[in-house]
């Protein structure tokens, strides 16, 4: 007794196994794509996309290795400082947040919020903490 009589994607008549749902791998792939297209974005994808955007922006604006920039410049482009991969605390107690190898320190200068952008250095490995 056949469970499915026609392909779940293209509605062609199925031949072969009784539990077959799709006529070929292309129909199966197209069907799965349509299902995922209408599902809400998964949490993992949101986090991954935000980390990628944060890294891209830090890389783009840190051409000199250490740069100070107004925070609103990055925030307007979609930067979210709550998405980080790890942090590093220097001897002065300042905490630098990192997205992979690009880091930033939040500071206030002349009443304006700014970020100090830096690159990861090997000596930082001793005091870094990874987020869970």
């Amino acid at each position: 007794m056949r469970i499915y009589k026609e392909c779940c994607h293209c509605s062609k008549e199925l031949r072969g196994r009784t539990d077959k749902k799709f006529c070929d791998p292309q129909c199966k792939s197209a069907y799965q794509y349509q299902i995922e297209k209408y599902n809400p974005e998964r949490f993992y994808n949101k986090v991954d996309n935000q980390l990628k955007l944060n890294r891209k922006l830090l890389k783009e604006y840190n051409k000199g290795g250490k740069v100070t920039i107004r925070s609103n410049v990055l925030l307007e482009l979609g930067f979210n400082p709550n998405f980080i991969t790890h942090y590093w605390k220097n001897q002065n107690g300042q905490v630098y947040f990192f997205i992979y190898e690009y880091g930033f320190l939040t500071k206030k200068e002349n009443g304006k919020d700014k970020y100090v952008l830096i690159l990861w250095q090997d000596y930082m490995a001793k005091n870094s903490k990874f987020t869970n």
Side-chain angles (χ1 to χ4, degrees), residues 81-99:
N82 296 320
F83 287 80
I84 63 169
T85 55
H86 61 285
Y87 64 92
W88 173 72
K89 192 174 190 178
N90 68 11
Q91 292 175 341
N92 299 332
Q94 296 172 313
V95 178
Y96 287 83
F97 298 102
F98 281 84
I99 296 94

Side-chain angles (χ1 to χ4, degrees), residues 12 17 25 27 32 41 45 58 63-64 70 73 75 81 83 86-89 93 98 101 105-106 118 122:
K12 285 184 187 174
R17 293 189 345 245
C27 275
Q32 294 295 335
E41 191 173 20
N45 293 345
L58 291 178
K63 300 288 185 195
R70 288 187 183 173
V73 172
L75 294 173
F83 287 80
H86 61 285
Y87 64 92
W88 173 72
K89 192 174 190 178
F98 281 84
E101 73 273 28
L105 167 72
T106 305
I118 63 169
D122 289 337

Side-chain angles (χ1 to χ4, degrees), residues 1-8 13-25:
M1 181 176 169
R2 181 170 290 283
I3 298 170
Y4 298 96
K5 294 183 179 183
E6 49 188 44
C7 177
C8 291
E13 184 182 347
L14 293 175
R15 298 178 192 271
R17 293 189 345 245
T18 58
D19 61 341
K20 194 172 182 180
K21 293 182 182 181
F22 304 98
C23 57
D24 59 33

Side-chain angles (χ1 to χ4, degrees), residues 4-132:
Y4 298 96
K5 294 183 179 183
E6 49 188 44
C7 177
C8 291
H9 181 67
C10 70
S11 300
K12 285 184 187 174
E13 184 182 347
L14 293 175
R15 298 178 192 271
R17 293 189 345 245
T18 58
D19 61 341
K20 194 172 182 180
K21 293 182 182 181
F22 304 98
C23 57
D24 59 33
Q26 290 78 18
C27 275
K28 181 178 180 181
S29 179
Y31 179 81
Q32 294 295 335
Y33 175 77
Q34 289 299 324
I35 297 293
E36 284 301 314
K37 188 173 161 182
Y38 295 109
N39 278 347
E41 191 173 20
R42 290 179 284 203
F43 177 74
Y44 169 81
N45 293 345
K46 288 180 183 179
V47 171
D48 189 47
N49 289 339
Q50 187 62 55
L51 286 172
K52 286 177 183 176
L53 176 62
N54 283 357
R55 182 185 179 279
K56 176 184 166 195
L57 292 171
L58 291 178
K59 180 180 181 182
E60 186 176 321
Y61 282 90
N62 189 0
K63 300 288 185 195
K66 184 176 182 181
V67 176
T68 302
I69 186 171
R70 288 187 183 173
S71 62
N72 67 335
V73 172
L74 293 179
L75 294 173
E76 288 172 3
L77 295 171
F79 182 79
N80 186 336
N82 296 320
F83 287 80
I84 63 169
T85 55
H86 61 285
Y87 64 92
W88 173 72
K89 192 174 190 178
N90 68 11
Q91 292 175 341
N92 299 332
Q94 296 172 313
V95 178
Y96 287 83
F97 298 102
F98 281 84
I99 296 94
Y100 305 109
E101 73 273 28
Y102 295 97
F104 66 96
L105 167 72
T106 305
K107 71 180 218 174
K108 202 168 206 73
E109 191 175 274
N110 299 326
K112 298 189 190 298
D113 292 327
K114 296 190 177 187
Y115 291 136
V116 177
L117 309 182
I118 63 169
L119 285 170
W120 178 260
Q121 303 296 318
D122 289 337
Y123 69 86
M124 296 174 178
K126 282 190 264 178
N127 299 338
S128 73
K129 305 288 185 225
F130 291 88
T131 60
N132 290 333

